[in-house]
PDB file of all heavy atoms in Angstrom:
ATOM      1  N   VAL A   1       0.814  -1.200   0.021  1.00 88.00           N
ATOM      2  CA  VAL A   1      -0.012   0.012   0.011  1.00 88.00           C
ATOM      3  C   VAL A   1       0.853   1.257  -0.002  1.00 88.00           C
ATOM      4  O   VAL A   1       0.632   2.184  -0.736  1.00 88.00           O
ATOM      5  CB  VAL A   1      -0.949  -0.034   1.205  1.00 88.00           C
ATOM      6  CG1 VAL A   1      -1.683   1.299   1.367  1.00 88.00           C
ATOM      7  CG2 VAL A   1      -1.928  -1.163   1.121  1.00 88.00           C
ATOM      8  N   LEU A   2       1.881   1.291   0.839  1.00 86.00           N
ATOM      9  CA  LEU A   2       2.765   2.452   0.910  1.00 86.00           C
ATOM     10  C   LEU A   2       3.485   2.727  -0.403  1.00 86.00           C
ATOM     11  O   LEU A   2       3.585   3.844  -0.885  1.00 86.00           O
ATOM     12  CB  LEU A   2       3.755   2.299   2.044  1.00 86.00           C
ATOM     13  CG  LEU A   2       4.753   3.447   2.263  1.00 86.00           C
ATOM     14  CD1 LEU A   2       4.014   4.716   2.624  1.00 86.00           C
ATOM     15  CD2 LEU A   2       5.775   3.066   3.341  1.00 86.00           C
ATOM     16  N   SER A   3       3.973   1.624  -0.990  1.00 85.00           N
ATOM     17  CA  SER A   3       4.691   1.772  -2.312  1.00 85.00           C
ATOM     18  C   SER A   3       3.734   2.226  -3.426  1.00 85.00           C
ATOM     19  O   SER A   3       4.065   3.076  -4.240  1.00 85.00           O
ATOM     20  CB  SER A   3       5.330   0.466  -2.674  1.00 85.00           C
ATOM     21  OG  SER A   3       5.947   0.556  -3.945  1.00 85.00           O
ATOM     22  N   TYR A   4       2.502   1.665  -3.383  1.00 85.00           N
ATOM     23  CA  TYR A   4       1.561   2.037  -4.428  1.00 85.00           C
ATOM     24  C   TYR A   4       1.149   3.480  -4.348  1.00 85.00           C
ATOM     25  O   TYR A   4       1.143   4.205  -5.339  1.00 85.00           O
ATOM     26  CB  TYR A   4       0.351   1.105  -4.324  1.00 85.00           C
ATOM     27  CG  TYR A   4      -0.766   1.450  -5.325  1.00 85.00           C
ATOM     28  CD1 TYR A   4      -0.680   1.068  -6.632  1.00 85.00           C
ATOM     29  CD2 TYR A   4      -1.893   2.148  -4.899  1.00 85.00           C
ATOM     30  CE1 TYR A   4      -1.684   1.408  -7.509  1.00 85.00           C
ATOM     31  CE2 TYR A   4      -2.915   2.458  -5.764  1.00 85.00           C
ATOM     32  CZ  TYR A   4      -2.824   2.094  -7.089  1.00 85.00           C
ATOM     33  OH  TYR A   4      -3.783   2.404  -7.978  1.00 85.00           O
ATOM     34  N   LEU A   5       0.829   3.946  -3.145  1.00 83.00           N
ATOM     35  CA  LEU A   5       0.440   5.327  -2.995  1.00 83.00           C
ATOM     36  C   LEU A   5       1.561   6.320  -3.274  1.00 83.00           C
ATOM     37  O   LEU A   5       1.346   7.368  -3.810  1.00 83.00           O
ATOM     38  CB  LEU A   5      -0.129   5.550  -1.573  1.00 83.00           C
ATOM     39  CG  LEU A   5      -1.440   4.809  -1.249  1.00 83.00           C
ATOM     40  CD1 LEU A   5      -1.805   5.049   0.223  1.00 83.00           C
ATOM     41  CD2 LEU A   5      -2.570   5.148  -2.142  1.00 83.00           C
ATOM     42  N   SER A   6       2.751   5.928  -2.841  1.00 83.00           N
ATOM     43  CA  SER A   6       3.933   6.804  -3.103  1.00 83.00           C
ATOM     44  C   SER A   6       4.256   6.917  -4.560  1.00 83.00           C
ATOM     45  O   SER A   6       4.602   7.973  -5.057  1.00 83.00           O
ATOM     46  CB  SER A   6       5.122   6.344  -2.285  1.00 83.00           C
ATOM     47  OG  SER A   6       4.845   6.300  -0.911  1.00 83.00           O
ATOM     48  N   SER A   7       4.135   5.785  -5.254  1.00 82.00           N
ATOM     49  CA  SER A   7       4.512   5.746  -6.685  1.00 82.00           C
ATOM     50  C   SER A   7       3.578   6.673  -7.516  1.00 82.00           C
ATOM     51  O   SER A   7       3.978   7.237  -8.526  1.00 82.00           O
ATOM     52  CB  SER A   7       4.475   4.328  -7.204  1.00 82.00           C
ATOM     53  OG  SER A   7       3.182   3.780  -7.119  1.00 82.00           O
ATOM     54  N   ILE A   8       2.295   6.813  -7.093  1.00 78.00           N
ATOM     55  CA  ILE A   8       1.387   7.668  -7.789  1.00 78.00           C
ATOM     56  C   ILE A   8       1.875   9.103  -7.806  1.00 78.00           C
ATOM     57  O   ILE A   8       1.816   9.825  -8.800  1.00 78.00           O
ATOM     58  CB  ILE A   8      -0.024   7.521  -7.192  1.00 78.00           C
ATOM     59  CG1 ILE A   8      -0.584   6.125  -7.439  1.00 78.00           C
ATOM     60  CG2 ILE A   8      -0.973   8.559  -7.839  1.00 78.00           C
ATOM     61  CD1 ILE A   8      -1.923   5.883  -6.782  1.00 78.00           C
ATOM     62  N   GLN A   9       2.352   9.560  -6.650  1.00 79.00           N
ATOM     63  CA  GLN A   9       2.865  10.957  -6.564  1.00 79.00           C
ATOM     64  C   GLN A   9       4.196  11.124  -7.204  1.00 79.00           C
ATOM     65  O   GLN A   9       4.492  12.130  -7.814  1.00 79.00           O
ATOM     66  CB  GLN A   9       2.894  11.338  -5.059  1.00 79.00           C
ATOM     67  CG  GLN A   9       1.590  11.284  -4.338  1.00 79.00           C
ATOM     68  CD  GLN A   9       0.564  12.208  -4.965  1.00 79.00           C
ATOM     69  OE1 GLN A   9       0.865  13.320  -5.375  1.00 79.00           O
ATOM     70  NE2 GLN A   9      -0.676  11.745  -5.028  1.00 79.00           N
ATOM     71  N   LEU A  10       5.079  10.119  -7.060  1.00 77.00           N
ATOM     72  CA  LEU A  10       6.446  10.243  -7.623  1.00 77.00           C
ATOM     73  C   LEU A  10       6.388  10.287  -9.149  1.00 77.00           C
ATOM     74  O   LEU A  10       7.255  10.910  -9.778  1.00 77.00           O
ATOM     75  CB  LEU A  10       7.268   9.088  -7.113  1.00 77.00           C
ATOM     76  CG  LEU A  10       7.633   9.118  -5.631  1.00 77.00           C
ATOM     77  CD1 LEU A  10       8.409   7.827  -5.252  1.00 77.00           C
ATOM     78  CD2 LEU A  10       8.449  10.371  -5.296  1.00 77.00           C
ATOM     79  N   LYS A  11       5.437   9.602  -9.753  1.00 76.00           N
ATOM     80  CA  LYS A  11       5.304   9.643 -11.230  1.00 76.00           C
ATOM     81  C   LYS A  11       5.094  11.063 -11.712  1.00 76.00           C
ATOM     82  O   LYS A  11       5.606  11.446 -12.790  1.00 76.00           O
ATOM     83  CB  LYS A  11       4.186   8.712 -11.676  1.00 76.00           C
ATOM     84  CG  LYS A  11       4.510   7.256 -11.732  1.00 76.00           C
ATOM     85  CD  LYS A  11       3.315   6.474 -12.259  1.00 76.00           C
ATOM     86  CE  LYS A  11       3.619   5.031 -12.378  1.00 76.00           C
ATOM     87  NZ  LYS A  11       2.472   4.233 -12.887  1.00 76.00           N
ATOM     88  N   ASN A  12       4.353  11.835 -10.943  1.00 74.00           N
ATOM     89  CA  ASN A  12       3.996  13.184 -11.419  1.00 74.00           C
ATOM     90  C   ASN A  12       5.229  14.076 -11.497  1.00 74.00           C
ATOM     91  O   ASN A  12       5.226  15.078 -12.240  1.00 74.00           O
ATOM     92  CB  ASN A  12       2.961  13.795 -10.460  1.00 74.00           C
ATOM     93  CG  ASN A  12       1.631  13.037 -10.468  1.00 74.00           C
ATOM     94  OD1 ASN A  12       1.323  12.431 -11.503  1.00 74.00           O
ATOM     95  ND2 ASN A  12       0.915  13.019  -9.366  1.00 74.00           N
ATOM     96  N   TYR A  13       6.231  13.783 -10.650  1.00 74.00           N
ATOM     97  CA  TYR A  13       7.448  14.631 -10.660  1.00 74.00           C
ATOM     98  C   TYR A  13       8.690  13.952 -11.259  1.00 74.00           C
ATOM     99  O   TYR A  13       9.765  14.482 -11.193  1.00 74.00           O
ATOM    100  CB  TYR A  13       7.771  15.007  -9.198  1.00 74.00           C
ATOM    101  CG  TYR A  13       6.652  15.789  -8.496  1.00 74.00           C
ATOM    102  CD1 TYR A  13       5.722  15.162  -7.720  1.00 74.00           C
ATOM    103  CD2 TYR A  13       6.508  17.162  -8.736  1.00 74.00           C
ATOM    104  CE1 TYR A  13       4.679  15.912  -7.121  1.00 74.00           C
ATOM    105  CE2 TYR A  13       5.488  17.870  -8.092  1.00 74.00           C
ATOM    106  CZ  TYR A  13       4.592  17.227  -7.292  1.00 74.00           C
ATOM    107  OH  TYR A  13       3.595  17.954  -6.697  1.00 74.00           O
ATOM    108  N   GLY A  14       8.501  12.804 -11.806  1.00 71.00           N
ATOM    109  CA  GLY A  14       9.621  12.098 -12.460  1.00 71.00           C
ATOM    110  C   GLY A  14      10.672  11.662 -11.460  1.00 71.00           C
ATOM    111  O   GLY A  14      11.854  11.560 -11.809  1.00 71.00           O
ATOM    112  N   ALA A  15      10.273  11.412 -10.230  1.00 72.00           N
ATOM    113  CA  ALA A  15      11.218  11.018  -9.166  1.00 72.00           C
ATOM    114  C   ALA A  15      10.976   9.574  -8.755  1.00 72.00           C
ATOM    115  O   ALA A  15      10.937   9.268  -7.545  1.00 72.00           O
ATOM    116  CB  ALA A  15      11.105  11.972  -7.974  1.00 72.00           C
ATOM    117  N   ASP A  16      10.926   8.708  -9.752  1.00 72.00           N
ATOM    118  CA  ASP A  16      10.609   7.308  -9.453  1.00 72.00           C
ATOM    119  C   ASP A  16      11.593   6.630  -8.551  1.00 72.00           C
ATOM    120  O   ASP A  16      11.291   5.817  -7.702  1.00 72.00           O
ATOM    121  CB  ASP A  16      10.517   6.508 -10.764  1.00 72.00           C
ATOM    122  CG  ASP A  16       9.412   7.035 -11.662  1.00 72.00           C
ATOM    123  OD1 ASP A  16       8.797   8.012 -11.263  1.00 72.00           O
ATOM    124  OD2 ASP A  16       9.191   6.455 -12.750  1.00 72.00           O
ATOM    125  N   VAL A  17      12.873   6.951  -8.683  1.00 77.00           N
ATOM    126  CA  VAL A  17      13.961   6.291  -7.984  1.00 77.00           C
ATOM    127  C   VAL A  17      13.882   6.578  -6.480  1.00 77.00           C
ATOM    128  O   VAL A  17      14.396   5.788  -5.652  1.00 77.00           O
ATOM    129  CB  VAL A  17      15.343   6.717  -8.513  1.00 77.00           C
ATOM    130  CG1 VAL A  17      15.652   8.127  -8.139  1.00 77.00           C
ATOM    131  CG2 VAL A  17      16.399   5.750  -8.030  1.00 77.00           C
ATOM    132  N   PHE A  18      13.225   7.647  -6.058  1.00 78.00           N
ATOM    133  CA  PHE A  18      13.143   8.008  -4.646  1.00 78.00           C
ATOM    134  C   PHE A  18      12.144   7.110  -3.869  1.00 78.00           C
ATOM    135  O   PHE A  18      11.979   7.265  -2.674  1.00 78.00           O
ATOM    136  CB  PHE A  18      12.772   9.472  -4.483  1.00 78.00           C
ATOM    137  CG  PHE A  18      13.887  10.407  -4.840  1.00 78.00           C
ATOM    138  CD1 PHE A  18      13.838  11.097  -6.045  1.00 78.00           C
ATOM    139  CD2 PHE A  18      14.945  10.590  -4.009  1.00 78.00           C
ATOM    140  CE1 PHE A  18      14.857  11.976  -6.390  1.00 78.00           C
ATOM    141  CE2 PHE A  18      15.974  11.430  -4.346  1.00 78.00           C
ATOM    142  CZ  PHE A  18      15.968  12.118  -5.551  1.00 78.00           C
ATOM    143  N   ILE A  19      11.483   6.203  -4.584  1.00 81.00           N
ATOM    144  CA  ILE A  19      10.648   5.271  -3.900  1.00 81.00           C
ATOM    145  C   ILE A  19      11.453   4.391  -2.946  1.00 81.00           C
ATOM    146  O   ILE A  19      11.012   3.953  -1.883  1.00 81.00           O
ATOM    147  CB  ILE A  19       9.880   4.400  -4.929  1.00 81.00           C
ATOM    148  CG1 ILE A  19       8.812   3.544  -4.227  1.00 81.00           C
ATOM    149  CG2 ILE A  19      10.829   3.521  -5.695  1.00 81.00           C
ATOM    150  CD1 ILE A  19       7.682   4.297  -3.673  1.00 81.00           C
ATOM    151  N   ILE A  20      12.696   4.164  -3.294  1.00 82.00           N
ATOM    152  CA  ILE A  20      13.579   3.374  -2.444  1.00 82.00           C
ATOM    153  C   ILE A  20      13.808   4.106  -1.101  1.00 82.00           C
ATOM    154  O   ILE A  20      13.799   3.498  -0.017  1.00 82.00           O
ATOM    155  CB  ILE A  20      14.900   3.035  -3.148  1.00 82.00           C
ATOM    156  CG1 ILE A  20      14.626   2.299  -4.466  1.00 82.00           C
ATOM    157  CG2 ILE A  20      15.843   2.230  -2.292  1.00 82.00           C
ATOM    158  CD1 ILE A  20      15.860   2.097  -5.311  1.00 82.00           C
ATOM    159  N   ASN A  21      14.106   5.405  -1.159  1.00 82.00           N
ATOM    160  CA  ASN A  21      14.306   6.169   0.029  1.00 82.00           C
ATOM    161  C   ASN A  21      13.111   6.234   0.921  1.00 82.00           C
ATOM    162  O   ASN A  21      13.156   6.063   2.122  1.00 82.00           O
ATOM    163  CB  ASN A  21      14.763   7.626  -0.326  1.00 82.00           C
ATOM    164  CG  ASN A  21      16.035   7.640  -1.176  1.00 82.00           C
ATOM    165  OD1 ASN A  21      16.024   7.127  -2.282  1.00 82.00           O
ATOM    166  ND2 ASN A  21      17.085   8.217  -0.660  1.00 82.00           N
ATOM    167  N   ILE A  22      11.955   6.414   0.300  1.00 82.00           N
ATOM    168  CA  ILE A  22      10.711   6.524   1.056  1.00 82.00           C
ATOM    169  C   ILE A  22      10.394   5.225   1.783  1.00 82.00           C
ATOM    170  O   ILE A  22      10.080   5.183   2.970  1.00 82.00           O
ATOM    171  CB  ILE A  22       9.547   6.963   0.136  1.00 82.00           C
ATOM    172  CG1 ILE A  22       9.762   8.363  -0.390  1.00 82.00           C
ATOM    173  CG2 ILE A  22       8.205   6.867   0.858  1.00 82.00           C
ATOM    174  CD1 ILE A  22       8.708   8.792  -1.391  1.00 82.00           C
ATOM    175  N   LEU A  23      10.456   4.125   1.003  1.00 84.00           N
ATOM    176  CA  LEU A  23      10.147   2.889   1.597  1.00 84.00           C
ATOM    177  C   LEU A  23      11.198   2.447   2.642  1.00 84.00           C
ATOM    178  O   LEU A  23      10.846   1.961   3.741  1.00 84.00           O
ATOM    179  CB  LEU A  23      10.078   1.789   0.546  1.00 84.00           C
ATOM    180  CG  LEU A  23       8.878   1.869  -0.437  1.00 84.00           C
ATOM    181  CD1 LEU A  23       8.953   0.762  -1.467  1.00 84.00           C
ATOM    182  CD2 LEU A  23       7.591   1.716   0.340  1.00 84.00           C
ATOM    183  N   GLY A  24      12.479   2.651   2.331  1.00 84.00           N
ATOM    184  CA  GLY A  24      13.533   2.248   3.240  1.00 84.00           C
ATOM    185  C   GLY A  24      13.426   2.972   4.572  1.00 84.00           C
ATOM    186  O   GLY A  24      13.378   2.369   5.634  1.00 84.00           O
ATOM    187  N   LEU A  25      13.460   4.329   4.516  1.00 84.00           N
ATOM    188  CA  LEU A  25      13.403   5.114   5.767  1.00 84.00           C
ATOM    189  C   LEU A  25      12.097   4.911   6.527  1.00 84.00           C
ATOM    190  O   LEU A  25      12.031   4.762   7.730  1.00 84.00           O
ATOM    191  CB  LEU A  25      13.649   6.570   5.482  1.00 84.00           C
ATOM    192  CG  LEU A  25      15.105   6.988   5.248  1.00 84.00           C
ATOM    193  CD1 LEU A  25      15.187   8.440   4.824  1.00 84.00           C
ATOM    194  CD2 LEU A  25      15.936   6.722   6.495  1.00 84.00           C
ATOM    195  N   GLY A  26      10.970   4.949   5.741  1.00 85.00           N
ATOM    196  CA  GLY A  26       9.693   4.830   6.379  1.00 85.00           C
ATOM    197  C   GLY A  26       9.424   3.547   7.115  1.00 85.00           C
ATOM    198  O   GLY A  26       8.945   3.483   8.182  1.00 85.00           O
ATOM    199  N   ILE A  27       9.857   2.410   6.447  1.00 86.00           N
ATOM    200  CA  ILE A  27       9.614   1.098   6.987  1.00 86.00           C
ATOM    201  C   ILE A  27      10.625   0.775   8.081  1.00 86.00           C
ATOM    202  O   ILE A  27      10.280   0.336   9.201  1.00 86.00           O
ATOM    203  CB  ILE A  27       9.584   0.070   5.890  1.00 86.00           C
ATOM    204  CG1 ILE A  27       8.366   0.247   5.014  1.00 86.00           C
ATOM    205  CG2 ILE A  27       9.610  -1.382   6.474  1.00 86.00           C
ATOM    206  CD1 ILE A  27       8.344  -0.649   3.783  1.00 86.00           C
ATOM    207  N   VAL A  28      11.922   0.968   7.761  1.00 86.00           N
ATOM    208  CA  VAL A  28      12.946   0.501   8.681  1.00 86.00           C
ATOM    209  C   VAL A  28      12.937   1.401   9.967  1.00 86.00           C
ATOM    210  O   VAL A  28      13.098   0.881  11.080  1.00 86.00           O
ATOM    211  CB  VAL A  28      14.306   0.530   8.003  1.00 86.00           C
ATOM    212  CG1 VAL A  28      15.467   0.242   9.041  1.00 86.00           C
ATOM    213  CG2 VAL A  28      14.380  -0.485   6.887  1.00 86.00           C
ATOM    214  N   ARG A  29      12.809   2.673   9.796  1.00 85.00           N
ATOM    215  CA  ARG A  29      12.930   3.570  10.971  1.00 85.00           C
ATOM    216  C   ARG A  29      11.626   3.691  11.757  1.00 85.00           C
ATOM    217  O   ARG A  29      11.689   3.736  12.981  1.00 85.00           O
ATOM    218  CB  ARG A  29      13.342   4.945  10.429  1.00 85.00           C
ATOM    219  CG  ARG A  29      13.704   5.959  11.559  1.00 85.00           C
ATOM    220  CD  ARG A  29      14.112   7.297  10.993  1.00 85.00           C
ATOM    221  NE  ARG A  29      14.344   8.258  12.049  1.00 85.00           N
ATOM    222  CZ  ARG A  29      15.584   8.548  12.496  1.00 85.00           C
ATOM    223  NH1 ARG A  29      16.652   7.908  12.008  1.00 85.00           N
ATOM    224  NH2 ARG A  29      15.755   9.405  13.463  1.00 85.00           N
ATOM    225  N   GLU A  30      10.471   3.762  11.097  1.00 85.00           N
ATOM    226  CA  GLU A  30       9.255   4.051  11.828  1.00 85.00           C
ATOM    227  C   GLU A  30       8.185   2.959  11.737  1.00 85.00           C
ATOM    228  O   GLU A  30       7.727   2.463  12.745  1.00 85.00           O
ATOM    229  CB  GLU A  30       8.644   5.388  11.324  1.00 85.00           C
ATOM    230  CG  GLU A  30       9.482   6.600  11.711  1.00 85.00           C
ATOM    231  CD  GLU A  30       9.566   6.835  13.210  1.00 85.00           C
ATOM    232  OE1 GLU A  30       8.620   6.426  13.925  1.00 85.00           O
ATOM    233  OE2 GLU A  30      10.578   7.396  13.687  1.00 85.00           O
ATOM    234  N   LEU A  31       7.780   2.658  10.503  1.00 85.00           N
ATOM    235  CA  LEU A  31       6.638   1.771  10.357  1.00 85.00           C
ATOM    236  C   LEU A  31       6.900   0.356  10.919  1.00 85.00           C
ATOM    237  O   LEU A  31       5.977  -0.220  11.517  1.00 85.00           O
ATOM    238  CB  LEU A  31       6.233   1.689   8.891  1.00 85.00           C
ATOM    239  CG  LEU A  31       5.406   2.870   8.314  1.00 85.00           C
ATOM    240  CD1 LEU A  31       5.070   2.635   6.890  1.00 85.00           C
ATOM    241  CD2 LEU A  31       4.131   3.062   9.147  1.00 85.00           C
ATOM    242  N   GLY A  32       8.066  -0.146  10.681  1.00 87.00           N
ATOM    243  CA  GLY A  32       8.381  -1.525  11.157  1.00 87.00           C
ATOM    244  C   GLY A  32       8.274  -1.650  12.710  1.00 87.00           C
ATOM    245  O   GLY A  32       7.519  -2.498  13.151  1.00 87.00           O
ATOM    246  N   PRO A  33       8.921  -0.796  13.454  1.00 90.00           N
ATOM    247  CA  PRO A  33       8.741  -0.924  14.906  1.00 90.00           C
ATOM    248  C   PRO A  33       7.347  -0.662  15.410  1.00 90.00           C
ATOM    249  O   PRO A  33       6.854  -1.402  16.264  1.00 90.00           O
ATOM    250  CB  PRO A  33       9.755   0.174  15.452  1.00 90.00           C
ATOM    251  CG  PRO A  33      10.740   0.368  14.363  1.00 90.00           C
ATOM    252  CD  PRO A  33       9.954   0.153  13.082  1.00 90.00           C
ATOM    253  N   ILE A  34       6.672   0.407  14.899  1.00 91.00           N
ATOM    254  CA  ILE A  34       5.357   0.698  15.316  1.00 91.00           C
ATOM    255  C   ILE A  34       4.368  -0.438  14.975  1.00 91.00           C
ATOM    256  O   ILE A  34       3.541  -0.871  15.775  1.00 91.00           O
ATOM    257  CB  ILE A  34       4.884   2.010  14.690  1.00 91.00           C
ATOM    258  CG1 ILE A  34       5.554   3.201  15.365  1.00 91.00           C
ATOM    259  CG2 ILE A  34       3.400   2.163  14.775  1.00 91.00           C
ATOM    260  CD1 ILE A  34       5.053   3.453  16.767  1.00 91.00           C
ATOM    261  N   LEU A  35       4.506  -0.929  13.755  1.00 90.00           N
ATOM    262  CA  LEU A  35       3.615  -1.995  13.243  1.00 90.00           C
ATOM    263  C   LEU A  35       3.773  -3.260  14.130  1.00 90.00           C
ATOM    264  O   LEU A  35       2.779  -3.806  14.629  1.00 90.00           O
ATOM    265  CB  LEU A  35       3.866  -2.332  11.827  1.00 90.00           C
ATOM    266  CG  LEU A  35       2.932  -3.312  11.096  1.00 90.00           C
ATOM    267  CD1 LEU A  35       1.541  -2.727  11.047  1.00 90.00           C
ATOM    268  CD2 LEU A  35       3.481  -3.603   9.750  1.00 90.00           C
TER     269      LEU A  35
END
């Protein structure tokens, strides 16, 4: 879900490669422990 929603916005700005940063930091640092 996080990757799908983020990719919709990143496509609009041509920043597809930053999906790795969003998922990596978001999941490893915050979402993983909280979840």
Side-chain angles (χ1 to χ4, degrees):
V1 172
L2 181 62
S3 177
Y4 176 76
L5 295 178
S6 301
S7 63
I8 295 176
Q9 300 299 322
L10 293 175
K11 279 183 179 180
N12 297 331
Y13 299 97
D16 298 2
V17 71
F18 288 104
I19 189 68
I20 302 174
N21 301 64
I22 294 175
L23 291 177
L25 282 174
I27 291 174
V28 174
R29 187 182 178 95
E30 291 297 332
L31 282 180
I34 285 289
L35 185 65

